[in-house]
Amino acid sequence: MRGTGKKGCTAMTMTKILLVEDSKFLRLATERALARTGYDVSSAADGDQALTLARANLPDLILLDMLLPKLSGLDVLKSLKKDPLTKSIPVVVMTGMTQKNAQRLREDGAVGFLEKSSLELDKGSEKLLTAVRDILANLSTEQAHKTTA
């Protein structure tokens, strides 16, 4: 599914997001919400597909579930961070696990952690969209600091 709006756009191109989620309902709902907001969204239902799409599309951001078939989210994260082609892609973990795992996931290369329960996806997508906007804004700020330092 490809987004067509303007809000997720950068100066020349739309922000590309790879969504990795095995739950068909959550994947479709999240994908639609992101696309409606203007992000260019591709999605994967398992860990193997996630690695293939990440390498092929080189997204600007990856939203990664931890409990996936074929290859776990943690294995996907570690593989992404070891691969020179994908190691600089920011990965945000979306999981049902508690926040106590966040520090370990950051050590493994994640730039952020979103608890699915706190996003209240069953009540709409606004909290998710706000979280994604905030993460992208923080990443842009960090990139600006790195290029001027």
Side-chain angles (χ1 to χ4, degrees):
M1 178 175 224
R2 300 288 178 208
T4 57
K6 302 277 189 242
K7 291 180 188 173
C9 294
T10 56
M12 295 294 286
T13 171
M14 290 170 41
T15 301
K16 294 190 297 185
I17 297 176
L18 172 58
L19 171 66
V20 186
E21 171 62 64
D22 63 318
S23 163
K24 185 175 182 179
F25 170 77
L26 288 176
R27 187 174 62 252
L28 291 175
T30 305
E31 189 175 319
R32 285 187 189 123
L34 291 167
R36 272 196 313 265
T37 306
Y39 297 105
D40 181 2
V41 183
S42 55
S43 62
D46 63 59
D48 287 342
Q49 190 180 24
L51 290 175
T52 300
L53 287 173
R55 290 177 182 128
N57 298 345
L58 298 177
D60 300 304
L61 179 68
I62 297 174
L63 298 176
L64 177 65
D65 185 20
M66 283 286 98
L67 301 175
L68 296 169
K70 296 187 181 178
L71 194 62
S72 76
L74 184 58
D75 289 336
V76 170
L77 177 62
K78 289 179 178 181
S79 293
L80 289 167
K81 295 307 167 184
K82 285 180 186 172
D83 186 333
L85 190 62
T86 58
K87 71 179 181 181
S88 65
I89 300 172
V91 178
V92 175
V93 171
M94 286 180 43
T95 184
M97 295 187 290
T98 62
Q99 190 73 26
K100 68 182 176 185
N101 297 301
Q103 183 56 39
R104 175 61 201 260
L105 292 167
R106 282 189 177 87
E107 291 168 9
D108 288 327
V111 298
F113 181 92
L114 299 174
E115 256 185 84
K116 288 181 188 177
S117 61
S118 68
L119 294 175
E120 299 177 339
L121 293 169
D122 57 330
K123 297 178 183 175
S125 57
E126 194 53 44
K127 286 187 177 188
L128 169 70
L129 296 174
T130 298
V132 168
R133 274 192 295 268
D134 290 348
I135 288 163
L136 289 169
N138 288 340
L139 291 172
S140 294
T141 302
E142 288 174 18
Q143 285 294 351
H145 288 306
K146 285 180 184 176
T147 57
T148 58

